[in-house]
Amino acid sequence: MNTESLRQEIILFFENIDKYYGSKTEIMQGLCSELDSLDANLTAWNLSEFELVRSAYRNNGGKFMFEGKGTYYEISGNRIIDFKKNGRNKVEFIEQYSETVYRITKIRFHYKY
């Protein structure tokens, strides 16, 4: 993780994630080679929808995980270079896997409150 404030924001998010358990959860994942330009020709997107059952930090490998029936998704804690709250129930993680490979994970919780 990049800075202490980034680390604290991520920890705070996961400390309060249990309020989303049972909520429909959308995870949109994009792989790209140019972070400043999310050109559709240079980015591959995937979308998953599930009911969030559990979330945790996996010490072995340093991964944040999200789990639902038939779904398991991980984000590398060591590769996160950015974290944003993009609305009341929306967050975005950006991981850097090499000089030119980034993974963007956008999560939306359909939370009723």
Side-chain angles (χ1 to χ4, degrees):
M1 290 180 209
N2 210 356
T3 66
E4 183 60 27
S5 63
L6 175 64
R7 183 172 121 65
Q8 289 303 317
E9 284 184 57
I10 295 167
I11 289 170
L12 183 62
F13 167 72
F14 277 96
E15 284 178 345
N16 295 297
I17 198 168
D18 61 336
K19 72 181 180 182
Y20 296 119
Y21 289 0
S23 295
K24 177 182 169 186
T25 303
E26 294 176 6
I27 294 183
M28 187 163 34
Q29 166 195 278
L31 293 175
C32 63
S33 58
E34 291 184 24
L35 195 55
D36 295 332
S37 171
L38 297 179
D39 183 329
N41 294 319
L42 302 173
T43 307
W45 291 97
N46 296 300
L47 174 65
S48 299
E49 294 181 352
F50 59 96
E51 184 177 301
L52 185 65
V53 173
R54 180 170 85 104
S55 183
Y57 181 75
R58 183 168 59 82
N59 286 324
N60 184 8
K63 309 283 194 236
F64 293 101
M65 54 76 71
F66 302 87
E67 188 175 349
K69 185 177 180 180
T71 303
Y72 186 85
Y73 189 84
E74 291 187 332
I75 296 172
S76 174
N78 296 327
R79 297 188 180 273
I80 297 171
I81 60 168
D82 197 15
F83 171 75
K84 297 176 191 156
K85 292 183 179 178
N86 293 330
R88 188 168 164 206
N89 301 312
K90 298 177 185 177
V91 296
E92 178 179 299
F93 293 89
I94 298 178
E95 299 162 90
Q96 185 171 7
Y97 281 87
S98 74
E99 268 187 52
T100 59
V101 177
Y102 301 90
R103 180 170 78 158
I104 302 162
T105 301
K106 297 180 180 195
I107 303 172
R108 178 178 177 208
F109 300 100
H110 293 263
Y111 185 56
K112 56 188 166 203
Y113 300 105

